Amino acid sequence: MTTRELNKNLLKNGSYINGVWHNSDASKFEVSNPATGNNIIAVSSASADDTTQAVDAAVAAMPAWRAKTAKQRAEVLHRWFELIMQHQDDLAAILTAEQGKPLTEARGEIAYGANYIQWFSEEAKRIYGDTIPGASPGSRVVVIKQGVGVVSAITPWNFPNAMITRKAAPALAAGCAFVVKAASETPLSALALAELGEQAGIPAGIFNVIVSDNARAVGNVLTGDPRIAKFTFTGSTAVGKKLLEQCASTVKKTSMELGGNAPFIVFDDADLDAAVQGAMVSKFRNAGQTCVCSNRLFVQSGVYQKFSEKLVHAVNKLKMGDGSDSNVDIGPLINLEAAESVSELVAQALKGGAKTLVGGAVNEPGSRYFQATVLSNVTADMSVATEEIFGPVAPLIKFETEEEVIGLANDTDVGLASYIYTRDIGRVWRVCEALEYGMVGINEGIISNEMAPFGGVKQSGMGREGSKYGIEDYLEIKYLCMGGLDR
Ligand code: NAP
């Protein structure tokens, strides 16, 4: 793919602050295509001062936005949703170019991301409060919910569209103004969203996108400015912890969508073909670079051999290459460091006694393309099982009993997604209730959609995105005590 094929109207090269595009030659960085290593475009890098300007704009713009009726805000959001869907192919091409996922997946992400905008445009109208009987005959208690205030966000490169819409949509629906720093590897999808947001009628200052290669400086403003009421982050647990600390000094409301280490559990009574299909989508989607990717595949001893054979058979059919080729199933990893880190995890596993059933290495030395890999004879203490792989490697771990696998699955500090395959309804309930995870896929490998509350427990974070719960993180509860009503 060349940049000429990308829609120039959506291809922006600087931050979007207060409705104005900021392009300056002062400091630029290149956005490159992970499939080819070629540069797509140079973008201006925003500074801490630029970020403060975006916060100024958000503070100034918010009162008028919040004063609109929920229906008016919903109409703007709905137009944004429609424009995104009208430009689905253009947005997918930009996403694939900067992130590397195959075009079909990129189109899927655009629709997935847009669905959150549609969903929250509807939820805007359902921000209900309560009336509560009072403590005395002359009193009544009324609870209202109001937008929390200015919201700041930092998002990762693996879903450069949807990780933004999942946060911006509930924020805007609730009457908040929003400032997001996009990942430096993938700023273009975020900027394209801003362009369509402007066309949809989002007022200047309400949706601001900062692109920068100085995450720390921008992050200091987004976590430290006292005018920001809420900070929301999606990214690694390590960075999330740091940013959470930074938010403490101004006691910001926070939500954190952090890393996972998803167990994928296949019991002897599972429908094996369904389990293999689930493993393929939950493991190899986005070349294994999602926070809900299966990270440890626990397979009961009775079906271990059969499941491995079927999985290897399916993996052998995957076509790796540049995601802009519509026949490609699996693209490159985001950068060379990612490929090196996955190679290291596999090398350590092999040293510890694991065996490669398929794949096992980068295509050629120095490549970002890591082959779809299945490892057998993995044990739960190997780093490939204790760390988030973020690559297309499926480590198979054999287990004997339900009790044993629950213990193994929960033996981690994180708890985002988990998956179980079984036909036994009693086991479904027992295992689901015992798993220390925010989400469980039951005979299902794709679990995320706008109707469902997405989020984790333990060090996978706090808060939920999507569903009727998703807007709660952007609302404050205000209690009105009404007295003297009996006089
Ligand atoms: P990351 O390294 O934590 O980066 C995420 C974002 O944080 C990027 O925008 C990055 O900016 C920024 N950042 C990094 N250091 C910072 C600092 N000191 N101050 C302020 N901002 C900083 O994570 P990633 O590698 O992009 O994404 C992968 C991780 O995200 C995985 O752990 C994955 O599980 C997690 N994730 C979680 C969810 C979820 O919903 N739970 C969803 C998707 C991904 P730069 O790009 O400029 O470095």
Side-chain angles (χ1 to χ4, degrees):
M1 168 163 309
T2 68
T3 52
R4 248 171 286 129
E5 288 168 299
L6 301 178
N7 181 334
K8 293 281 189 234
N9 295 328
L10 295 177
L11 197 60
K12 302 293 179 182
N13 61 359
S15 300
Y16 181 73
I17 299 170
N18 201 17
V20 177
W21 296 100
H22 284 241
N23 309 318
S24 111
D25 288 334
S27 171
K28 290 198 165 235
F29 65 99
E30 292 287 347
V31 181
S32 66
N33 183 333
T36 59
N38 295 338
N39 290 336
I40 303 168
I41 194 169
V43 296
S44 302
S45 180
S47 63
D49 284 348
D50 297 328
T51 310
T52 301
Q53 265 187 40
V55 179
D56 295 344
V59 169
M62 200 179 63
W65 178 247
R66 153 182 268 183
K68 286 186 188 297
T69 63
K71 190 172 177 184
Q72 288 170 327
R73 290 196 299 272
E75 282 163 0
V76 174
L77 286 171
H78 193 76
R79 276 200 298 278
W80 198 18
F81 159 76
E82 285 182 331
L83 282 168
I84 290 170
M85 290 312 293
Q86 279 164 24
H87 292 83
Q88 185 178 14
D89 289 331
D90 284 333
L91 292 169
I94 290 173
L95 205 164
T96 292
E98 66 176 346
Q99 200 275 336
K101 68 179 64 173
L103 265 180
T104 322
E105 284 188 32
R107 289 186 89 253
E109 179 180 339
I110 301 303
Y112 167 70
N115 286 343
Y116 284 92
I117 300 178
Q118 185 189 41
W119 174 268
F120 285 110
S121 74
E122 292 154 358
E123 286 301 289
K125 294 176 274 184
R126 305 191 221 303
I127 299 174
Y128 300 146
D130 295 300
T131 54
I132 301 173
S136 65
S139 75
R140 299 288 184 277
V141 172
V142 177
V143 173
I144 61 170
K145 293 185 181 175
Q146 295 177 302
V148 67
V150 173
V151 173
S152 63
I154 297 183
T155 51
W157 49 263
N158 63 343
F159 285 89
N161 172 292
M163 294 304 101
I164 294 176
T165 60
R166 243 166 49 162
K167 298 177 186 303
L172 267 57
C176 304
F178 190 79
V179 183
V180 58
K181 187 203 87 66
S184 53
E185 256 109 357
T186 56
L188 306 178
S189 295
L191 297 172
L193 273 175
E195 167 63 29
L196 295 177
E198 182 174 300
Q199 290 179 24
I202 298 177
I206 293 299
F207 180 71
N208 304 277
V209 178
I210 303 294
V211 299
S212 175
D213 60 359
N214 192 345
R216 199 174 293 253
V218 172
N220 284 342
V221 176
L222 296 184
T223 56
D225 191 310
R227 297 170 299 170
I228 296 171
K230 179 193 165 80
F231 173 69
T232 168
F233 176 71
T234 297
S236 62
T237 300
V239 173
K241 284 180 185 175
K242 221 183 286 172
L243 298 175
L244 201 51
E245 268 180 40
Q246 290 177 205
C247 286
S249 66
T250 49
V251 195
K252 292 196 195 318
K253 203 173 161 95
T254 52
S255 32
M256 295 273 151
E257 294 286 353
L258 309 177
N261 181 358
F264 183 97
I265 306 172
V266 184
F267 288 97
D268 280 346
D269 66 346
D271 173 339
L272 278 197
D273 290 325
V276 168
Q277 199 187 6
M280 292 301 292
V281 290
S282 79
K283 176 70 255 183
F284 296 104
R285 198 160 49 103
N286 200 11
Q289 303 171 109
T290 87
C291 52
V292 292
C293 271
S294 328
N295 208 58
R296 298 167 290 163
L297 283 75
F298 295 107
V299 188
Q300 204 161 12
S301 56
V303 293
Y304 184 86
Q305 185 61 29
K306 194 125 202 219
F307 178 82
S308 353
E309 285 165 15
K310 281 176 179 277
L311 185 64
V312 167
H313 183 71
V315 166
N316 270 322
K317 288 191 191 152
L318 290 177
K319 185 167 185 288
M320 183 185 273
D322 183 333
S324 63
D325 171 348
S326 55
N327 296 318
V328 160
D329 304 303
I330 183 162
L333 294 180
I334 188 73
N335 53 35
L336 288 177
E337 294 76 48
E340 279 158 18
S341 137
V342 176
S343 301
E344 181 55 33
L345 288 174
V346 170
Q348 283 177 23
L350 296 178
K351 218 162 129 194
K355 301 222 168 348
T356 307
L357 298 183
V358 58
V362 281
N363 261 355
E364 56 194 52
S367 166
R368 303 174 198 207
Y369 287 91
F370 197 96
Q371 297 161 356
T373 297
V374 180
L375 299 177
S376 68
N377 290 25
V378 175
T379 53
D381 57 347
M382 291 178 180
S383 51
V384 77
T386 57
E387 289 179 27
E388 193 179 27
I389 304 169
F390 244 58
V393 177
L396 302 183
I397 304 171
K398 197 185 282 185
F399 74 92
E400 299 295 336
T401 68
E402 187 178 306
E403 195 184 9
E404 176 197 2
V405 80
I406 290 169
L408 288 169
N410 287 342
D411 187 18
T412 169
D413 288 337
V414 288
L416 190 60
S418 57
Y419 307 87
I420 65 168
Y421 277 75
T422 173
R423 307 304 302 172
D424 177 335
I425 188 71
R427 172 174 278 158
V428 166
W429 276 101
R430 284 192 303 276
V431 178
C432 283
E433 288 176 357
L435 284 172
E436 297 164 357
Y437 286 82
M439 300 174 281
V440 189
I442 303 151
N443 300 318
E444 190 61 66
I446 299 249
I447 56 175
S448 182
N449 57 64
E450 76 282 9
M451 289 156 272
F454 187 103
V457 301
K458 294 172 152 177
Q459 294 184 28
S460 283
M462 53 184 98
R464 291 295 180 269
E465 293 187 337
S467 81
K468 67 172 183 174
Y469 303 105
I471 203 155
E472 298 292 333
D473 279 346
Y474 296 85
L475 296 170
E476 283 289 12
I477 286 175
K478 187 179 282 175
Y479 147 54
L480 314 179
C481 181
M482 305 178 74
L485 300 178
D486 55 348
R487 285 195 290 277

